[in-house]
Amino acid sequence: MPEPPPAALEIFGDRLSDAVRYAELLAETGVRRGLIGPREVPRLWERHLLNCAVLSEAVPEDVTVCDVGSGAGLPGIPLALVRPDLRITLLEPLLRRTNFLQEVVELLGLDQVTVVRGRAEEVLSTLTPVHVVTARAVAPLDRLAGWGVPLLRPYGEMLAIKGDTAAEELKNARGALGKLGVVRSSVLQVGAGLVDPPSTLVRVEVGESPGGVRFAAKRAKAARRGARRSH
């Protein structure tokens, strides 16, 4: 387990000790449970924790966030450590991962973080729409947007951490994004001067119908189903 680099103190500030504890949990429990590969341990800081934490530069203040396909908590946990003003939901379908996430949240005292087990399409009727959806290395952009965009409230945005393929993925996904109610999309970089290379994000912004017409109907149907169950 490598020592945290100098940039870690600048990024995590007084939560650096919690970031170190999280890194240790990833290196020990995370590897043992198959949540990350053992080869990732030497580059946990640069490739994972810092790379995810600088996402905070693109997230507005005091908003709700859903981290889709949170896995071992990336980017949701680093984001929560640097941004206590955010109310974050870690959404993950696999039980062994949600168990790990719950342990991390409790151990680090992340009171503003909630762990939800489920797939994005399954929680449409139960999860309150959020301002921001985050995701990292979950799926190609068109498929990822199909999961994440419907979880947004009107005029919300999805921030997906992508690598060198960001611009190409965005170009290929434009048709699918339009059908999902996306009105603007762009590629931006965050963490310049802190991480090398900077993290590349795709930002997609929705209008008043997140997910488009099809998901508006799906949400209404799910709401009716939920209302019937509650009676």
Side-chain angles (χ1 to χ4, degrees):
M1 181 67 218
E3 290 292 312
L9 177 58
E10 193 171 342
I11 291 170
F12 288 104
D14 59 4
R15 297 303 298 264
L16 179 60
S17 60
D18 288 324
V20 170
R21 186 71 190 107
Y22 175 50
E24 290 169 348
L25 286 165
L26 286 172
E28 297 158 5
T29 311
V31 170
R32 193 169 66 247
R33 297 187 193 174
L35 303 183
I36 66 163
R39 290 182 182 178
E40 295 304 309
V41 172
R43 48 190 185 180
L44 268 178
W45 285 102
E46 284 82 358
R47 182 165 177 172
H48 298 289
L49 274 76
L50 302 186
N51 189 278
C52 288
V54 294
L55 174 68
S56 65
E57 292 178 16
V59 180
E61 290 184 10
D62 298 312
V63 297
T64 52
V65 177
C66 182
D67 188 29
V68 172
S70 196
L74 299 163
I77 298 288
L79 186 60
L81 287 171
V82 297
R83 292 289 301 277
D85 59 303
L86 304 176
R87 296 175 302 290
I88 299 176
T89 299
L90 305 179
L91 182 62
E92 168 56 48
L94 293 184
L95 180 61
R96 63 189 168 91
R97 292 177 181 167
T98 53
N99 285 343
F100 175 77
L101 293 173
Q102 194 60 53
E103 290 165 20
V104 172
V105 165
E106 290 173 9
L107 189 71
L108 302 184
L110 296 172
D111 297 334
Q112 85 277 28
V113 177
T114 305
V115 178
V116 173
R117 184 184 174 201
R119 299 182 185 279
E121 58 269 30
E122 295 169 349
V123 300
L124 275 177
S125 62
T126 54
L127 190 72
T128 303
V130 296
H131 297 90
V132 178
V133 163
T134 58
R136 177 182 189 242
V138 175
L141 185 61
D142 53 351
R143 201 177 338 148
L144 178 59
W147 299 333
V149 167
L151 300 175
L152 291 169
R153 55 186 284 166
Y155 308 104
E157 59 185 342
M158 184 179 80
L159 298 168
I161 300 179
K162 292 285 183 180
D164 299 336
T165 62
E168 185 181 349
E169 280 197 53
L170 180 55
K171 181 182 175 184
N172 293 337
R174 284 200 192 279
L177 295 177
K179 291 175 184 175
L180 288 167
V182 172
V183 294
R184 271 185 303 277
S185 55
S186 56
V187 174
L188 64 151
Q189 292 192 318
V190 291
L194 293 170
V195 291
D196 186 24
S199 295
T200 302
L201 309 180
V202 173
R203 169 186 270 150
V204 300
E205 302 168 70
V206 297
E208 55 188 40
S209 299
V213 176
R214 186 163 63 90
F215 279 94
K218 194 180 252 189
R219 257 195 301 270
K221 185 178 178 182
R224 287 196 299 272
R225 200 163 52 236
R228 280 200 301 270
R229 277 202 298 266
S230 65
H231 284 308

